[in-house]
């Protein structure tokens, strides 16, 4: 199957600063890379995703980049706000529709 | 639309007991999934289904069983509960496969003692 590694495991940033989370994957056939946000005690929710035929995608303060050659992808959050505090998970698809998730990054935005 | 619903929200089981975690979606999604989430870990796929009558194993299927008799329902069965099955269980669904958003249910927190 697919193996996804995610770094860092925890990230503390000052409000207004940027946050970057990086993931690597092992299966070069993986072609879909979603990012999920999970607030404490809540369900994971998709915040952005990228497909293997695209190098970068942006949605307001959130952006994702993909480097297929190096098999890594990153989440960028700019102008962080307190409501960005959560656990973020990256994932990679394998065997078409099954997702393999990273271990998660706990982001804390300091006021 | 209620989306994906799960029952119960919490459950405590004794070792060796059995139970069924219920999952229902009202979005007419073909694909459904069961994940478990252990503390400090990502989600691990237990079982999945690509349509009524079709199920298959994910990464961590041992100790679990599923069925999919209707499009809407995808129950997860634990036959002989073990402490290693203490976890939060999430059901998810998507309309089709790769590239379609997976919508998650609220989760079931299970403790086996």
């Amino acid at each position: 199957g697919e193996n996804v590694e995610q770094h860092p495991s925890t990230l503390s940033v000052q409000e207004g600063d940027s946050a970057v989370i990086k993931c690597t994957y092992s299966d070069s056939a993986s072609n879909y890379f979603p990012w999920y946000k999970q607030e404490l005690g809540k369900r994971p929710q998709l915040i952005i995703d990228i497909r293997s035929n695209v190098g970068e995608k942006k949605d307001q303060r959130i952006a994702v980049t993909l480097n297929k050659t190096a098999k890594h992808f990153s989440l960028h959050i700019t102008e962080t706000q307190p409501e960005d505090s959560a656990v973020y998970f990256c994932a990679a698809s394998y065997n078409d529709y099954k997702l393999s998730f990273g271990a998660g990054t706990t982001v804390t935005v300091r006021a | 639309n209620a989306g994906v619903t799960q029952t119960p929200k919490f459950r405590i089981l004794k070792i060796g007991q059995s139970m069924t975690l219920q999952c229902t979606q009202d979005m007419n999604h073909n694909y459904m999934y069961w994940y478990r989430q252990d503390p400090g870990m990502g989600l691990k796929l237990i079982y999945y289904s690509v349509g009524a009558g079709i199920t298959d194993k994910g990464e961590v299927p041992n100790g679990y069983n599923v069925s999919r008799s209707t499009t809407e329902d995808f129950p997860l069965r634990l036959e002989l509960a073990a402490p290693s099955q203490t976890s939060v269980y999430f059901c998810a669904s998507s309309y089709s496969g790769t590239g379609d958003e997976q919508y998650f249910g609220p989760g079931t927190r299970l403790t086996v003692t």
Side-chain angles (χ1 to χ4, degrees), chain B:
Chain B
N1 280 359
V4 181
T5 57
Q6 292 181 237
T7 57
K9 291 185 179 179
F10 306 93
R11 183 73 185 268
I12 299 175
L13 280 182
K14 294 189 185 303
I15 295 171
Q17 287 186 321
S18 300
M19 78 163 293
T20 299
L21 282 66
Q22 301 291 346
C23 175
T24 300
Q25 53 90 11
D26 63 358
M27 297 176 284
N28 200 31
H29 284 174
N30 295 308
Y31 290 60
M32 296 187 74
Y33 316 83
W34 274 106
Y35 294 92
R36 61 176 287 171
Q37 184 177 34
D38 299 319
M41 305 289 288
L43 295 102
K44 299 290 186 184
L45 183 65
I46 306 171
Y47 270 95
Y48 65 97
S49 169
V50 302
I54 306 170
T55 63
D56 207 347
K57 297 177 181 178
E59 295 176 78
V60 291
N62 291 345
Y64 307 94
N65 274 301
V66 294
S67 59
R68 182 101 181 266
S69 57
T70 67
T71 299
E72 295 79 19
D73 301 305
F74 190 40
L76 177 72
R77 178 82 178 163
L78 283 71
E79 287 295 346
L80 291 170
S84 60
Q85 293 178 304
T86 294
S87 189
V88 179
Y89 292 84
F90 287 100
C91 178
S93 71
S94 63
Y95 182 70
S96 64
T98 302
D100 263 5
E101 178 178 356
Q102 291 190 17
Y103 294 84
F104 284 81
T108 294
R109 184 174 295 275
L110 176 67
T111 302
V112 182
T113 62

